């Protein structure tokens, strides 16, 4: 079994062009990377989100984790009304028009030959310190899931875990919302959004993946977040824990639909290709942060602690009530006088 390295996976996925609603290049590359991965089955849902399931042996954590990353990135698309012309482009994905215009004027826009999309023209660069590309957001997350599945297969780990690669996140989580409206997983499954995000509220580059307390719109499931934190502690994986409220991610969408959700992010530089000087730049992440994410995911979905474990907040409170029952009884007598 020839196992692709994380670097090889990153190179193949990061070089794919993508834009909202035009994720087919990335989807095809992920399918190609996972088609020969042992114990993995692939399918597409009605919205063309790609769903992958690793199932080996009878072991199953509780909850079952659904690892999720989106395949699109802000980019140029051809209008849908059939117009044509050299400059007939619409930019989708939440970047100010004046910044986009400056990038176009500098000649940074690169149309995909014969295609309906165009991206910024930045090469993929990977070394021991940094990974830079046109679209780290969220192809780093996609690459991390693929690498995690291959690492599980290499170690012949028994587990059941799902992954979903979603469409049209950059225009408002449309792929994730479609997934949630037609939820294909068990009721106890927990949606785990894997993102690259601006490091705010004390988060730092190179200090490990960020376990998200929440985002701009919601606070994530406490027990699921606690399971991720404890897994990192038990495995000696360096992580950060922060509220990343500079933006919102797909976990909030799934929570709005009633599904338990959590999030992990890799610190991202030049978010949406906007540099500190408000010019178009390649995005970047730290290599060790990405490696840490793959280690954390592999440990989480295969942990002996059975998902959220026995020491949830609910379990801890029950224990504290039992431990303090005598004190409660004695103290309550004072209220009777």
């Amino acid at each position: 079994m020839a196992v692709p390295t994380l670097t090889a996976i990153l190179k193949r996925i990061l070089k794919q062009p993508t834009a909202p609603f035009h994720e087919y290049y990335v989807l095809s590359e992920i399918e190609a990377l996972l088609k020969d991965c042992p114990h993995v089955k692939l399918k597409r849902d009605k919205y063309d989100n790609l769903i992958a399931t690793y199932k080996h042996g009878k072991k199953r954590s509780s909850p079952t984790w659904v690892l999720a990353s989106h395949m699109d990135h802000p980019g140029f698309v051809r209008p849908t009304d059939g117009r044509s012309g050299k400059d007939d482009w619409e930019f989708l994905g939440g970047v100010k028009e004046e910044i986009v215009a400056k990038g176009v004027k500098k000649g940074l826009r690169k149309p995909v030959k014969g295609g309906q999309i165009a991206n910024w023209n930045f090469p993929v660069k990977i070394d021991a310190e940094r990974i830079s590309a046109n679209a780290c957001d969220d192809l780093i997350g996609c690459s991390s899931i693929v690498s995690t599945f291959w690492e599980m297969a290499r170690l012949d780990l028994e587990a059941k875990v799902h992954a979903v690669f979603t469409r049209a996140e950059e225009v408002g989580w449309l792929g994730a919302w479609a997934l949630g409206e037609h939820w294909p997983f068990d009721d106890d499954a927990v949606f785990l959004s894997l993102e690259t995000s601006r490091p705010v509220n004390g988060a730092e580059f190179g200090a490990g993946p960020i376990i998200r307390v929440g985002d701009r719109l919601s606070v994530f499931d406490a027990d699921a977040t606690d399971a991720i934190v404890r897994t990192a502690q038990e495995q000696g994986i360096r992580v950060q824990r922060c509220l990343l409220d500079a933006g919102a991610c797909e976990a909030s969408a799934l929570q709005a639909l009633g599904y338990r959700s959590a999030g992990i992010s890799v610190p991202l530089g030049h978010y949406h290709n906007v540099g500190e000087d408000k010019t178009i730049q390649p995005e970047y992440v730290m290599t060790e942060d990405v490696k840490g994410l793959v280690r954390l995911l592999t440990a989480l979905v295969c942990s002996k602690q059975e998902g959220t474990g026995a020491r949830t907040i609910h379990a801890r409170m029950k224990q504290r009530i039992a431990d303090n029952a005598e004190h409660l009884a004695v103290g309550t007598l004072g209220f009777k006088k």
Side-chain angles (χ1 to χ4, degrees):
M1 178 177 64
V3 179
T5 64
L6 174 59
T7 298
I9 291 168
L10 286 165
K11 287 181 178 179
R12 288 179 60 173
I13 292 179
L14 288 174
K15 73 178 184 180
Q16 300 304 319
T18 189
F21 306 107
H22 296 266
E23 303 88 354
Y24 30 79
Y25 295 106
V26 175
L27 184 148
S28 294
E29 195 63 35
I30 293 172
E31 287 179 327
L33 280 161
L34 286 176
K35 69 180 177 122
D36 294 324
C37 186
H39 319 303
V40 173
K41 292 185 178 180
L42 302 171
K43 66 178 181 180
R44 301 183 192 182
D45 67 10
K46 292 182 179 179
Y47 202 77
D48 281 322
N49 296 308
L50 177 62
I51 298 172
T53 297
Y54 177 102
K55 184 178 180 182
H56 180 38
K58 297 182 179 180
K59 287 186 178 180
R60 179 184 172 189
S61 64
S62 179
T64 302
W65 295 96
V66 180
L67 312 181
S69 292
H70 62 88
M71 298 181 289
D72 63 321
H73 183 75
F76 298 88
V77 302
R78 292 286 190 188
T80 58
D81 61 6
R83 292 180 298 162
S84 62
K86 183 178 180 181
D87 295 321
D88 188 18
W89 296 102
E90 180 179 354
F91 189 88
L92 301 179
V95 180
K96 291 182 178 180
E97 289 184 13
E98 58 268 28
I99 297 176
V100 173
K102 288 179 181 178
V104 173
K105 188 175 181 179
K106 289 180 65 177
L108 294 175
R109 183 172 62 193
K110 181 182 179 181
V112 176
K113 187 176 181 180
Q116 294 295 309
I117 65 174
N119 291 157
W120 300 120
N121 188 19
F122 295 115
V124 176
K125 295 182 179 179
I126 302 174
D127 59 33
E129 180 181 0
R130 179 183 289 204
I131 301 164
S132 67
N134 174 68
C136 289
D137 171 24
D138 190 23
L139 303 191
I140 290 292
C142 294
S143 301
S144 298
I145 293 175
V146 172
S147 184
T148 297
F149 274 24
W150 271 107
E151 181 67 4
M152 293 169 66
R154 183 184 71 83
L155 296 172
D156 199 32
L157 296 176
E158 293 191 5
K160 180 180 180 181
V161 59
H162 303 289
V164 58
F165 303 91
T166 60
R167 299 181 59 208
E169 187 273 349
E170 298 291 1
V171 291
W173 317 317
L174 299 188
W177 193 264
L179 176 81
E181 287 191 317
H182 305 279
W183 187 249
F185 310 114
D186 295 335
D187 291 339
D188 74 334
V190 172
F191 184 88
L192 181 54
S193 173
L194 306 174
E195 270 278 11
T196 57
S197 306
R198 285 173 286 190
V200 296
N201 297 327
E204 299 178 351
F205 289 101
I210 305 164
I211 300 173
R212 303 184 71 155
V213 175
D215 62 15
R216 179 172 53 84
L217 295 179
S218 68
V219 174
F220 300 152
D221 185 88
D223 287 343
T225 301
D226 182 60
I228 303 168
V229 172
R230 286 186 293 105
T231 297
Q233 292 172 340
E234 292 169 3
Q235 298 296 323
I237 300 170
R238 190 183 187 192
V239 296
Q240 310 173 71
R241 186 181 185 189
C242 299
L243 173 64
L244 298 183
D245 57 356
C249 71
E250 292 172 313
S252 281
L254 270 296
Q255 285 203 147
L257 288 166
Y259 299 102
R260 294 174 60 202
S261 301
I264 306 175
S265 284
V266 171
L268 175 68
H270 298 162
Y271 170 76
H272 283 187
N273 303 108
V274 180
E276 292 79 3
D277 60 356
K278 305 302 180 184
T279 63
I280 296 297
Q281 302 288 339
E283 291 187 327
Y284 69 89
V285 296
M286 298 296 105
T287 305
E288 284 301 315
D289 290 340
V290 179
K291 291 181 178 179
L293 175 59
V294 174
R295 289 195 295 269
L296 178 57
L297 295 177
T298 304
L300 179 66
V301 300
C302 298
S303 174
K304 294 181 180 179
Q305 66 182 358
E306 292 299 306
T308 56
R311 297 291 290 170
T312 63
I313 294 175
H314 183 268
R316 280 180 281 185
M317 288 307 303
K318 288 183 65 176
Q319 187 62 51
R320 287 172 184 168
I321 291 169
D323 291 344
N324 290 281
E326 187 174 346
H327 290 300
L328 176 64
V330 174
T332 300
L333 292 176
F335 292 87
K336 306 297 184 182
K337 295 179 181 181

